[in-house]
Amino acid sequence: MGQEFSQLDTPIQFLKGVGPRRAQAFGSMGILTARDLLYHVPRRYDDASEIHPVAAAEVGMDVTVVGRVRSKGTVPTRSGLRIFQVVLQDDSGMITCAWPGQPWLDRRIRKGDLLLMTGPVKFYHGRQIHPREFILLGREGEEDGGRHGTIFVSYPASEEVPQWILRRVFARNLDWLLSQARGEEYLPEEERKVLGVSSLDRALASLHRPASLEEVEEGRRRLAFDELFFLQLVQAQVRYLQTEAQPGIPFLRTNRLIRPLYQSLPFQLTEAQARVLQEIYADMASPRRMNRLLQGDVGSGKTVVALFAMLLALEGGYQAALMAPTELLAEQHVRRIGEMLDPLGVQVLLLTGSLGASDRRRTLATLAEGEACPVVGTHALIQDSVDFQRLGLVVVDEQHRFGVRQRMALGEKESRPDVLVMSATPIPRSLAMALYGDLDLSILDQMPPGRKPVETLVKYPRNRKEIYRFLDREMENGRQAYVVYPLVEDSEKVDLRSASEEHRRLSEEVFPHRRVGLLHGQLRAEEKDSVMRAFLARELDLLVATTVIEVGIDVSNATVMVIEHAERFGLSQLHQLRGRVGRGGAKSTCILVSEPGELARERLAVLKRTSDGFEIAQADLEIRGQGDFFGPQQHGRDPILRFADLSRDEDLLRQAQTRARDRVARDPALESPENHKVRHLLEARHGEKMRLFGVG
Ligand code: ADP
Ligand code: MG
């Protein structure tokens, strides 16, 4: 950051009252510069803005009073605790204030002092205030200067940097810090008005020394906007680079394949499918490259949508590739797509790691010749040896299973193919916008007609016998079942132990007459595939699994899922797991086993109530907060969003996204003088990330 805007890069040690030794302690809290300090905002606010007359203080209330110290003293208790007490008087009367265990206050507080204090009123030989906080407003004889209330702030502190140090350092430096913040303002006043946010220095002042709690919220809102805006700015640059920096392919629609598919499908597209397909076709028809995320619950019909998109590419004389995270999923796609394309006389190619040498050679040759054909595969598709001659469209299924790099790899082909990524993990729109601001968003929010919801029950562990009887009955009738265990701790080893121990117990003691398989995270990909294959082929009746069960695998004969320790899962995850059953015509059941506990049960009740993945994800967001969605590594000191709260800042997020995209559209590299400051601020916040995405 240049000196030109502010001196907030000044090392913390040079601030008043810090010095080299204390600077180290600040450093261990992640506060290295003046800016770090300025953004180290309080975590708690104690509202002492409304002053009560002492006569009105009643036991059980939380009050703020202002008065003169009439007398003081320290009283011992039988347990040896010493209590400092004062009698405080205002116009309405007198009250005792007591600080158990703080006899040293006797040296700070004098008779005649004017004090403001806030805390609960207790009963101990009469009414007593036990102050949480107090401030000295003036000594004996000094004017009482207005007696207005205040808000006490508490900072995130540590043993080395205690609360009182933080307060003192802020008291001595805040004015200077705020004056520097003025230099970093990048939003002109008119724009702030439209957005309904305050200026940067005012926002920071509101957070550090608010006059009211409303002011705190105003301050938070401004910093939330900044956070969202700069994040969107990086994404807008990535988006620009991906979609607009160079033209893509404008696909020409002939209906040569699309119409016959419409005619041969045994069903009509849902309204949601038709709408989403229009969004995709509009992108594909335009010379602008498509970079779109299609979100839809398991079973909402994404594959069919992807297929129609692939046909448009084929009609235009291009190849279309669909990439799945596992071989099994790739094979399932080939089978399904093959069936649907059969009436059209179109062949689907398969490319996976385990393909035989001659099949592989044939597929590679076809792709290299540039024949317009669909191909389905795994990571094998992005290997260097695969030479697409005319790749026009890339579809990535279950995109969250791929890294960002893998997701982008296929799109980096010379032909600049359009990219459609699909996800069966519904997340609230606000989250999708925050996480995937570089992508355009299509949402399949409607299920094909006729799907029976999975009956969902919440049971206690003591109901286990009954649960096993039910499982056994289903298996007796030729059905298959899952029993799922969570990651008990964040350790793969423990995870493995609990699932394998249960596998032993279930296969030897409970269901010795059934075929019981085990699937867990420590198996290699081929081993996982082979267990899933056995289950699919009905060579197993029961599958004991951790959460690694494939998303999207159809075992239509599986009708029961038991999820142990259900309270440890997020609702969205439970919903995902539940989606493994109910994929055939038969009635299916999901049994959530959970210890008694009201909160957990209340949460689980959401799953009984609805099978709408988006609604469930929204509930998850509200109950568990956004941290979970950003992944565990994002927690702690540097969460992606410290100020923005996606469950209530969706309006800000929209504004941030529009503004970021506009700015990048006008000035892609943000190099015009008008973007000078923004560019610097962006670099300071997200420099590393920008280089990772190639926009730095
Ligand atoms: P997803 O990939 O989103 O999990 P699929 O595309 O696999 O969902 O579709 C799930 C099932 O629903 C498939 O058997 C598919 O043939 C069927 N299906 C898809 N769209 C419709 C529709 N509009 N009407 C009836 N069935 C549909
Ligand atoms: Mg699918």
Side-chain angles (χ1 to χ4, degrees):
M1 255 327 263
Q3 295 291 318
E4 39 197 316
F5 305 126
S6 79
Q7 290 174 33
L8 289 176
D9 286 307
T10 307
I12 186 75
Q13 99 170 67
F14 300 116
L15 270 70
K16 286 185 196 137
V18 182
R21 218 166 53 88
R22 200 157 272 154
Q24 283 230 323
F26 273 94
S28 66
M29 290 181 89
I31 301 173
L32 304 172
T33 64
R35 181 181 296 98
D36 295 338
L37 182 68
L38 182 56
Y39 279 85
H40 189 77
V41 301
R43 78 181 139 68
R44 200 166 62 82
Y45 294 92
D46 210 341
D47 188 357
S49 56
E50 197 190 322
I51 293 169
H52 305 85
V54 301
E58 280 172 38
V59 175
M61 283 170 69
D62 214 271
V63 295
T64 301
V65 298
V66 172
R68 291 270 175 198
V69 175
R70 284 304 159 224
S71 63
K72 65 167 193 168
T74 302
V75 295
T77 62
R78 235 177 281 148
S79 65
L81 186 72
R82 290 166 67 210
I83 302 177
F84 176 66
Q85 290 190 339
V86 306
V87 172
L88 198 76
Q89 180 177 37
D90 70 3
D91 297 337
S92 72
M94 296 204 273
I95 193 164
T96 306
C97 307
W99 286 265
Q102 299 184 53
W104 47 270
L105 280 175
D106 197 18
R107 273 175 282 137
R108 272 184 67 192
I109 296 179
R110 299 182 206 155
K111 220 173 126 183
D113 281 354
L114 184 70
L115 298 182
L116 175 149
M117 58 182 71
T118 188
V121 185
K122 308 215 168 172
F123 188 84
Y124 193 79
H125 303 307
R127 298 175 308 151
Q128 279 192 348
I129 298 177
H130 285 205
R132 258 193 316 274
E133 303 272 4
F134 75 92
I135 30 179
L136 176 64
L137 297 175
R139 296 291 189 192
E140 171 114 63
E142 286 174 10
E143 276 305 304
D144 68 6
R147 300 195 175 200
H148 38 71
T150 189
I151 306 250
F152 290 96
V153 301
S154 302
Y155 291 96
S158 70
E159 212 163 293
E160 294 169 290
V161 188
Q163 198 58 237
W164 67 271
I165 293 276
L166 282 160
R167 287 180 178 174
R168 202 173 66 184
V169 168
F170 274 112
R172 298 182 65 183
N173 294 283
L174 189 57
D175 287 329
W176 178 78
L177 290 168
L178 293 174
S179 73
Q180 296 305 307
R182 233 161 278 148
E184 300 209 337
E185 179 61 88
Y186 69 96
L187 284 173
E189 195 178 341
E190 312 91 75
E191 208 168 332
R192 297 200 302 259
K193 269 211 194 104
V194 176
L195 290 167
V197 298
S198 34
S199 66
L200 186 56
D201 60 316
R202 198 183 141 166
L204 286 158
S206 307
L207 287 167
H208 285 289
R209 49 176 180 222
S212 67
L213 292 182
E214 290 76 56
E215 254 191 31
V216 175
E217 168 57 16
E218 279 168 33
R220 182 201 69 83
R221 201 176 138 81
R222 164 63 205 252
L223 296 197
F225 177 81
D226 288 359
E227 207 166 59
L228 295 169
F229 174 72
F230 285 107
L231 206 56
Q232 288 295 320
L233 210 47
V234 178
Q235 293 170 329
Q237 286 187 296
V238 173
R239 180 172 182 269
Y240 183 87
L241 193 74
Q242 293 284 316
T243 64
E244 274 164 278
Q246 297 162 34
I249 308 162
F251 291 93
L252 220 57
R253 177 166 168 180
T254 66
N255 279 330
R256 181 175 63 84
L257 299 168
I258 293 169
R259 188 167 302 132
L261 181 64
Y262 268 119
Q263 286 162 352
S264 65
L265 278 182
F267 50 74
Q268 291 224 308
L269 294 187
T270 62
E271 261 170 55
Q273 282 172 315
R275 168 175 40 82
V276 160
L277 195 55
Q278 284 321 306
E279 291 165 2
I280 292 170
Y281 276 175
D283 274 5
M284 290 182 71
S286 100
R288 204 182 146 271
R289 272 183 90 192
M290 173 165 73
N291 207 18
R292 187 170 280 279
L293 170 64
L294 171 57
Q295 271 207 72
D297 235 325
V298 171
S300 59
K302 293 183 294 297
T303 312
V304 182
V305 171
L307 181 56
F308 272 106
M310 291 168 86
L311 289 188
L312 178 55
L314 263 54
E315 284 186 359
Y318 284 88
Q319 298 166 331
L322 182 129
M323 184 164 76
T326 68
E327 299 210 337
L328 204 53
L329 274 167
E331 287 164 23
Q332 179 176 288
H333 277 313
V334 161
R335 205 164 44 243
R336 286 221 201 129
I337 290 178
E339 276 165 21
M340 290 190 271
L341 289 185
D342 202 37
L344 282 62
V346 176
Q347 275 263 317
V348 199
L349 301 177
L350 177 68
L351 189 65
T352 63
S354 63
L355 207 61
S358 66
D359 284 342
R360 179 179 169 82
R361 221 168 316 136
R362 206 168 324 123
T363 298
L364 290 182
T366 312
L367 294 176
E369 278 159 20
E371 189 183 316
C373 58
V375 57
V376 173
T378 55
H379 304 88
L381 286 170
I382 49 181
Q383 281 160 4
D384 290 340
S385 54
V386 186
D387 172 25
F388 287 96
Q389 209 27 250
R390 278 176 76 78
L391 185 58
L393 173 70
V394 170
V395 182
V396 181
D397 195 20
E398 308 302 344
Q399 58 88 29
H400 61 281
R401 300 277 303 273
F402 296 98
V404 178
R405 297 221 153 251
Q406 288 172 315
R407 183 178 104 199
M408 289 178 159
L410 263 177
E412 275 154 15
K413 297 284 175 195
E414 223 170 300
S415 55
R416 298 186 57 76
D418 279 3
V419 177
L420 177 68
V421 300
M422 305 201 293
S423 166
T425 313
I427 57 176
R429 183 178 278 272
S430 60
L431 249 144
M433 280 175 74
L435 286 171
Y436 307 115
D438 56 323
L439 306 174
D440 292 308
L441 202 57
S442 285
I443 294 185
L444 274 182
D445 49 7
Q446 185 186 17
M447 290 300 236
R451 268 194 75 141
K452 283 190 213 113
V454 176
E455 188 186 5
T456 302
L457 308 169
V458 182
K459 294 279 178 192
Y460 295 115
R462 61 173 149 77
N463 301 127
R464 204 162 267 134
K465 267 215 179 99
E466 174 199 333
I467 296 169
Y468 290 155
R469 263 202 304 277
F470 175 72
L471 274 179
D472 204 46
R473 239 185 352 261
E474 289 285 306
M475 291 191 276
E476 190 58 43
N477 293 332
R479 300 297 182 186
Q480 291 162 283
Y482 299 94
V483 176
V484 182
Y485 289 85
L487 278 161
V488 174
E489 275 151 39
D490 269 340
S491 139
E492 288 266 353
K493 286 214 178 81
V494 180
D495 159 32
L496 172 63
R497 185 155 19 89
S498 63
S500 13
E501 170 52 27
E502 283 305 307
H503 171 254
R504 194 202 55 75
R505 201 175 61 80
L506 289 175
S507 59
E508 289 173 16
E509 294 166 22
V510 187
F511 302 117
H513 52 302
R514 306 279 174 216
R515 299 162 300 175
V516 186
L518 173 64
L519 189 68
H520 58 75
Q522 301 221 316
L523 295 177
R524 280 181 294 126
E526 306 87 71
E527 293 172 318
K528 276 185 213 157
D529 260 16
S530 89
V531 174
M532 271 318 285
R533 268 179 225 287
F535 192 60
L536 198 54
R538 302 197 189 187
E539 289 158 15
L540 295 171
D541 304 303
L542 181 68
L543 191 58
V544 178
T546 58
T547 49
V548 299
I549 319 175
E550 286 312 341
V551 171
I553 284 289
D554 253 356
V555 183
S556 53
N557 189 49
T559 54
V560 196
M561 172 170 289
V562 177
I563 304 179
E564 298 279 351
H565 295 292
E567 75 283 352
R568 301 198 190 169
F569 292 91
L571 293 181
S572 299
Q573 207 182 357
L574 290 172
H575 174 67
Q576 284 291 307
L577 288 168
R578 175 171 68 175
R580 311 293 110 229
V581 292
R583 302 182 69 99
K587 174 179 172 299
S588 295
T589 313
C590 176
I591 302 173
L592 306 172
V593 184
S594 162
E595 299 291 341
E598 286 204 3
L599 253 172
R601 296 196 149 239
E602 207 173 292
R603 276 198 325 117
L604 296 179
V606 175
L607 289 170
K608 290 178 67 160
R609 192 178 69 226
T610 177
S611 54
D612 177 340
F614 289 97
E615 195 183 327
I616 290 166
Q618 184 67 37
D620 236 2
L621 177 63
E622 278 156 25
I623 297 170
R624 280 155 60 108
Q626 60 202 13
D628 275 356
F629 289 91
F630 289 109
Q633 73 279 16
Q634 325 282 7
H635 278 292
R637 185 173 284 163
D638 233 1
I640 292 184
L641 300 176
R642 278 176 66 199
F643 298 102
D645 174 354
L646 294 179
S647 63
R648 56 186 168 135
D649 290 333
E650 197 169 333
D651 68 312
L652 276 185
L653 176 56
R654 277 175 201 286
Q655 305 255 31
Q657 182 170 81
T658 312
R659 267 149 226 274
R661 287 184 174 183
D662 283 353
R663 215 177 259 260
V664 170
R666 283 196 308 269
D667 177 14
L670 301 175
E671 57 201 353
S672 72
E674 128 193 53
N675 280 324
H676 204 48
K677 195 179 274 186
V678 165
R679 162 98 223 169
H680 270 280
L681 294 167
L682 180 64
E683 178 67 34
R685 275 183 195 247
H686 296 305
E688 244 174 81
K689 184 182 279 167
M690 288 162 69
R691 277 177 288 283
L692 178 70
F693 288 109
V695 293

